[in-house]
Amino acid sequence: MLDPSWKPTLSALLQPPASLLLMIPAGLWLQRRPDWRRWAGRLMIGTALLGLWLMCSSGTALWLQDQVLRPPPALSPPEVRALMRSPKTPPSAIVVLGAGRHRLSPEYGSSMLTQQAMVRLHYGVWLARRTGQPLAYSGGVGWGQSGEVTEAETAARILMDDYGSRLRWTESRSRDTRQNARQLVPMLEADGVRRIILVTHAVHMPRALRAFRDAAGTRLVIVPAPVAFITPDESGLLDWMPSAHGYRLNHDMLHELLGLITRN
C-alpha cells in the first residue's frame, strides 16, 4: 500500500496545472512524429492551453461548485435561531474542521492557522455566540507537514487570545477529513452529543458530510453549516479572465472532486 505521506505529491501531479503542463512537452514530442501523431500532438497542446485558461478562471470554479459539487446552502437566519440551545434541542456541538496550519508564523513567533482555517474558525465562533452551542475543533498535523504543535492546539490558543473563548473539544490526531470524523465522532458521543453543526468551506462540505455520516451512521444528526461560497463577479466577463484568484479557487475545487472520486 502506498505511504499516505505521498498523498500531497500525487495530488499535485494529478491536478492541473501540473497535469496540463506535462501535456505540452508530450504534444511537442508527438508533433515531430509522422502521420496522425502530429495532429494528436497539436490537439494535446491546444487542449492543455485551453485547460490552463479555464483552470485560472473563477467562472470555471463557480460552475463546478453550482453544477457538479452542489453543496448545501448557507444557514438562513431562521435556521440559525433554530439551533439555539434550549431544553427542547438535542445536545449539540459546533464542529469546525481544520484546513491546515503554518508551523511557524514569524510575525507571531508561533504556529498559525491558514487563511482558510481562520475563515472556518471565525464562522464557528459567530455561530457559537448566536446559538450558545459549544465548539469543537478537529485537526492534527497534515500529511506532508511537520512540527509538534497541532492545528487544533493552534486553534485553541487563537480562540483564547483573540476571542476570549475556549474549545469544549479538541481533536488533534487526525490528518485528513476521514480521520476528522473517525476521531471526533466517538469523542462527542461519549459526552452525550446528539447533533453536530458541521462548519467547513462550501466546496469541502459534500466530502465532509459523507465522512461524518459514514462515521456516525444514524446515531447523530448532522447539520451542514457551509461557509465561503464561490460567488460571481459583478462583471460576468471578468469571471472568465485568468487570475491568481481563479487558479486558487479551481485548485481547491479539483482537490475536492478528486477526494470524492477516490473516497479520501
Side-chain angles (χ1 to χ4, degrees):
M1 180 177 291
L2 184 66
D3 186 340
S5 64
W6 280 88
K7 287 174 63 176
T9 302
L10 290 176
S11 178
L13 287 173
L14 289 172
Q15 293 183 69
S19 57
L20 294 172
L21 289 171
L22 289 173
M23 289 174 63
I24 294 176
L28 290 172
W29 181 82
L30 285 174
Q31 272 198 313
R32 297 179 180 179
R33 309 274 82 80
D35 54 62
W36 62 271
R37 286 176 291 182
R38 179 177 300 174
W39 294 103
R42 293 175 180 175
L43 178 62
M44 188 176 293
I45 294 171
T47 301
L49 293 175
L50 177 61
L52 286 170
W53 183 289
L54 293 175
M55 174 70 187
C56 294
S57 303
S58 60
T60 306
L62 179 63
W63 184 85
L64 289 171
Q65 173 191 263
D66 294 345
Q67 304 300 323
V68 181
L69 279 181
R70 297 183 180 180
L75 292 174
S76 65
E79 288 172 326
V80 171
R81 288 193 293 270
L83 297 174
M84 293 177 64
R85 182 188 294 179
S86 74
K88 296 182 180 180
T89 59
S92 304
I94 297 173
V95 172
V96 179
L97 297 187
R101 61 97 175 97
H102 303 295
R103 183 178 61 85
L104 176 63
S105 185
E107 65 271 30
Y108 293 104
S110 61
S111 62
M112 183 54 59
L113 296 179
T114 63
Q115 183 177 7
Q116 283 187 317
M118 284 300 301
V119 168
R120 298 179 189 182
L121 180 63
H122 182 78
Y123 186 55
V125 173
W126 186 89
L127 280 176
R129 289 179 173 174
R130 282 157 180 77
T131 64
Q133 302 292 359
L135 268 172
Y137 195 100
S138 179
V141 178
W143 301 114
Q145 291 186 328
S146 62
E148 297 180 355
V149 180
T150 67
E151 185 178 349
E153 291 167 340
T154 302
R157 190 197 72 240
I158 293 172
L159 194 63
M160 175 55 65
D161 292 348
D162 296 350
Y163 295 93
S165 302
R166 292 183 182 273
L167 291 171
R168 174 76 63 85
W169 300 275
T170 303
E171 187 286 302
S172 57
R173 296 173 59 190
S174 58
R175 308 187 77 169
D176 54 32
T177 303
R178 283 192 300 176
Q179 290 186 12
N180 288 149
R182 290 175 179 175
Q183 297 287 346
L184 191 57
V185 165
M187 186 185 303
L188 298 177
E189 286 186 307
D191 276 356
V193 170
R194 294 294 174 264
R195 181 176 65 177
I196 288 175
I197 303 161
L198 190 61
V199 175
T200 190
H201 275 63
V203 298
H204 182 232
M205 186 59 77
R207 189 157 61 98
L209 281 174
R210 184 179 67 185
F212 273 81
R213 285 167 178 165
D214 287 346
T218 59
R219 301 186 305 276
L220 297 177
V221 175
I222 302 174
V223 179
V227 66
F229 286 81
I230 300 170
T231 55
D233 195 277
E234 291 185 5
S235 172
L237 182 61
L238 289 178
D239 286 333
W240 297 102
M241 294 294 104
S243 66
H245 176 64
Y247 167 75
R248 288 192 294 269
L249 291 177
N250 280 294
H251 182 274
D252 294 341
M253 184 68 63
L254 294 175
H255 175 80
E256 294 306 321
L257 290 171
L258 184 62
L260 283 171
I261 293 170
T262 60
R263 298 195 66 83
N264 283 320

